[in-house]
Amino acid sequence: MKKFTKQLDIRSKNGWRVLLVAVMSISIAVLAYTYGKTVQACSQLNYIVIILAAYYWQTKGSVTVALILGLSAGPLMSIISYGSLSQHPLNWILRVAIYLFVALNVGYIFNKNIEKSEEIKEKNLISDFTGFYNTNKLFLELGSLIEKGERFCLVFINVVNLEEISKYVDYDIIETIIHRGTKHLKSVFKEENLYSVDYNEYLIIQKEYDETTFVELMTKYLEMASKTMVIEDYSFKLVIKIGISFNNGDISEAREIYNKARIAADQGEVYKSGVYVCNDRFRKEKELFNEISGSIQKALDNDEFYLVYQPIVSLTNKELAHAEVLLRWDRGERGLVGPDIFIPIAEKIGLIKHITTWIIKKLITEKKEWKNKGVNINTAINVTSVEILDDSFRDWVEVVVKENDIERSSVGIEITERVILNDEKKINGILSSLREKGYKISMDDFGTGYNSLINVSKIPFDIIKIDKYFVDRMNELEIYLMIKHTISFIHELGGTVIAEGVETKEQLEMLKELGCDSIQGYYFSKPLVSDEFMEYYKNFDINDYL
């Protein structure tokens, strides 16, 4: 349909051009005949029409129009507008010759200009680094294939570590790497199907393919291309990631298939070569990542975050003893996104300290309100390795706690096992220092990381939290025994145990039997905003649950 419309547009444009040239030619002829100007200079107005024809249709068009005008102002027209005195043949032949001379020269000039323009356009479609077509040409070709409804696939090849290599070697070595890489590509694929975005990014259009066979072909290509390359005294092993996007007629925009191929290549480990086919789930995750990462700072500025508190009930003292502080994000119509999604993103983009700072400020404000109402309950916030290792952040927390007259023992710091992996020795030293100052250290999600009951003794902690994964599987003998021995071992080390994710009375009874100290989960309460938590605290009676 688009092709047909385009053809109609071209025909319509040519039709208007022909009409304009015809109207001008006839007007000049009528003017010359009516006012007796043929014997003077009126016919010279035809040069305007000849030049216009050359502009529209180059040499062939201008010569054709020149002949028509030469005849209409020659043997077909009298020398004057009254009477029938004909022009001398030499007179109109000479005029025709002059018209043709002008037409040929003007047409030649326009032809050359067009050729030069095409050369410039063509040059703008070629990459200076590789000699392949660039993305300008790529998008033209993709648009054409989509318009024709052809089935094709687009391959994106990213030499991940080439830019890093270029920082440490001479450019002539990089040129050699590029030359070998492009030569290898040309040995496998037709050159007219090869494109490059930059010296380390390439694209291939494959018009005929079997998906399975083509993936196998790209895998074999990758094996060859990622072999160790020796240049002068250097050895290089290129990390190459290949993304493939297949179009079976379901993609309507060139940019869409281009982005899909690039996104496909983002899969897998960053510095590990691989071939990846476009995955819609992964693409949606990337889209969400970009959307969330671009909204976090705005959310902080607009106060879109808020805190909720999940009650933690002590089975030993039979009271509501603690609360875990959790962060929520009010995104309005944009939909809910949990902290398990936006917190890791905040870590990656360097905004996690801003968020934790906001949490602490908000928590202190609400704890003051509770204290004014006669409630002084211990709380715990989740902290990442970024904050734990940041001296300035820890100093800031200390200042804030002192200035607001907050008891350190009421401020719990929750870490996960993976936090320890970043710098075990240093983090353990920091945690020991924090405990000495009076802060309570909790290890969250115990059992899901790398620690065992033996090496957990090396970590300074006050509380171990058994993950919901194990609580849900307590009916399995192995899990039951693991929880039993964990509780016993932690007690021998002087710590206490909180079971997370408790949702049934059966789970509660089993944990009581095993000597678990405290319970957290929906069996008692979901996370509550500050006012709801205060109401729950005032009305809490453990007998309602036993």
Side-chain angles (χ1 to χ4, degrees), residues 502-511 523 544-546:
V502 177
E503 296 181 349
T504 67
K505 189 170 184 178
E506 180 187 7
Q507 291 173 337
L508 173 64
E509 293 298 331
M510 292 177 73
L511 289 163
Y523 179 71
D544 294 337
Y545 302 94
L546 297 179

Side-chain angles (χ1 to χ4, degrees), residues 278-481:
C278 181
N279 182 306
D280 283 340
R281 181 186 61 79
F282 180 79
R283 179 173 60 83
K284 288 176 181 177
E285 287 176 358
K286 290 289 287 186
E287 288 174 355
L288 180 62
F289 177 91
N290 291 329
E291 194 268 318
I292 294 298
S293 61
S295 303
I296 289 177
Q297 186 60 58
K298 183 179 177 182
L300 285 167
D301 296 339
N302 296 341
D303 207 26
E304 294 178 9
F305 291 114
Y306 64 96
L307 299 182
V308 292
Y309 303 87
Q310 184 159 36
I312 299 174
V313 177
S314 170
L315 297 180
T316 304
N317 299 324
K318 300 187 184 309
E319 63 182 15
L320 200 167
H322 312 281
E324 181 178 0
V325 182
L326 301 169
L327 185 64
R328 297 293 183 264
W329 185 356
D330 181 6
R331 285 166 44 88
E333 295 180 354
R334 291 174 293 171
L336 295 174
V337 174
D340 57 322
I341 294 176
F342 67 77
I343 291 297
I345 293 175
E347 288 186 63
K348 287 181 181 179
I349 64 176
L351 285 178
I352 189 62
K353 285 195 292 184
H354 294 73
I355 289 178
T356 306
T357 299
W358 183 91
I359 291 172
I360 291 171
K361 288 179 178 178
K362 186 69 173 177
L363 173 62
I364 286 174
T365 299
E366 296 190 342
K367 281 177 77 74
K368 281 183 174 181
E369 293 176 0
W370 298 353
K371 193 172 184 180
N372 292 335
K373 295 176 181 179
V375 177
N376 190 13
I377 192 166
N378 294 340
T379 53
I381 61 171
N382 292 279
V383 180
T384 67
S385 60
V386 175
E387 288 101 9
I388 289 290
L389 292 169
D390 189 328
D391 294 340
S392 62
F393 180 79
R394 296 198 312 276
D395 292 342
W396 174 82
V397 171
E398 185 68 11
V399 169
V400 170
V401 167
K402 285 182 179 179
E403 287 180 348
N404 290 277
D405 193 27
I406 302 294
E407 294 180 17
R408 294 189 185 92
S409 60
S410 74
V411 180
I413 297 173
E414 286 199 10
I415 60 170
T416 59
E417 291 184 68
R418 67 184 179 90
V419 168
I420 309 297
L421 289 171
N422 288 278
D423 193 334
E424 183 176 350
K425 186 176 181 180
K426 187 173 182 179
I427 288 179
N428 282 346
I430 292 170
L431 294 177
S432 294
S433 176
L434 290 170
R435 286 186 73 206
E436 288 171 5
K437 291 179 180 179
Y439 295 99
K440 298 294 182 181
I441 308 298
S442 301
M443 180 175 289
D444 199 10
D445 302 335
F446 178 77
T448 61
Y450 81 107
N451 278 302
S452 66
L453 290 178
I454 296 175
N455 55 34
V456 77
S457 61
K458 301 175 185 176
I459 301 169
F461 70 91
D462 297 288
I463 300 167
I464 290 293
K465 301 183 78 173
I466 297 175
D467 190 69
K468 184 180 187 300
Y469 173 86
F470 300 103
V471 172
D472 286 342
R473 291 161 178 77
M474 287 181 62
N475 289 322
E476 299 174 21
L477 180 60
E478 295 85 352
I479 301 297
Y480 178 86
L481 292 174

Side-chain angles (χ1 to χ4, degrees), residues 234-249:
Y234 298 94
S235 294
F236 305 102
K237 186 170 180 62
L238 300 180
V239 177
I240 301 173
K241 301 188 76 173
I242 298 175
I244 306 173
S245 178
F246 294 104
N247 179 28
N248 296 313

